[in-house]
Amino acid sequence: MKKNLISIGILALLIVNLVLTGIMMFSVMSTNKKTAALVTDIASAIKLELSDGTTATQEEETKQLSIADIATYTIADMTIPLKTGADGKDHFAMVSVALSMNTTSEDYQTYGPSIAEKVDLLRGQINSVISQYTMEEAKANSAAICNEILLKLQALYNSDFIFDVTFSSALYQ
């Protein structure tokens, strides 16, 4: 009789355990679906998803260009006063800027060959961007400065035939 009662108790506990496991699975699955939907919404809001291939981004265009389709123009040895930093001293940056241009772009045919004639405008744009930074900021954020210069030059020409700006040399004092 005791063995029968223990067997019935074990069977009852097994059924309760099975029911509770089923309830837990359904509740976890619905929460998991909600979490996955939330993560998808956040990723789409901040545009983390890869592009669908219909529109090429600037980086994809750069990767697709062959070296033969890239022309460079160097603006050498610009001495630019920097914003006064925490030490209160005047600092200067001596930079050489290399502009990379897409020769297959339609705008390159218009603006590219005559870029040397507009060097003073280019120097002015570069100077206005770099002079906004202190020496410490300029050293730490050279990539951000290059991107800002690129945006200014693309706005100046109203074109994206200039696709990259790099510092071929940069000295800070």
Side-chain angles (χ1 to χ4, degrees), residues 81-171:
L82 297 172
K83 188 168 77 171
T84 305
D87 61 358
K89 296 181 181 177
D90 292 333
H91 295 283
F92 294 91
M94 188 169 162
V95 295
S96 294
V97 179
L99 308 176
S100 299
M101 300 175 285
N102 180 359
T103 60
T104 60
S105 172
E106 294 174 6
D107 291 332
Y108 177 77
Q109 306 306 324
T110 306
Y111 301 120
S114 64
I115 199 163
E117 298 170 4
K118 310 287 189 224
V119 72
D120 290 332
L121 292 173
L122 299 174
R123 285 178 180 264
Q125 295 294 323
I126 294 167
N127 191 0
S128 70
V129 171
I130 295 175
S131 64
Q132 296 174 2
Y133 293 90
T134 64
M135 183 173 70
E136 293 78 21
E137 293 170 342
K139 284 181 179 179
N141 299 322
S142 63
I145 293 172
C146 288
N147 287 335
E148 192 173 339
I149 292 170
L150 176 64
L151 294 175
K152 285 259 193 178
L153 295 180
Q154 287 177 341
L156 175 69
Y157 280 103
N158 198 20
S159 174
D160 62 348
F161 79 98
I162 298 174
F163 67 89
D164 189 35
V165 173
T166 56
F167 292 145
S168 55
S169 68
L171 298 173

Side-chain angles (χ1 to χ4, degrees), residues 13-14 38 47 57 60 80 103 117 139 145 170:
L13 289 174
L14 181 72
L38 178 66
K47 298 179 183 176
T57 64
E60 290 171 348
I80 302 168
T103 60
E117 298 170 4
K139 284 181 179 179
I145 293 172

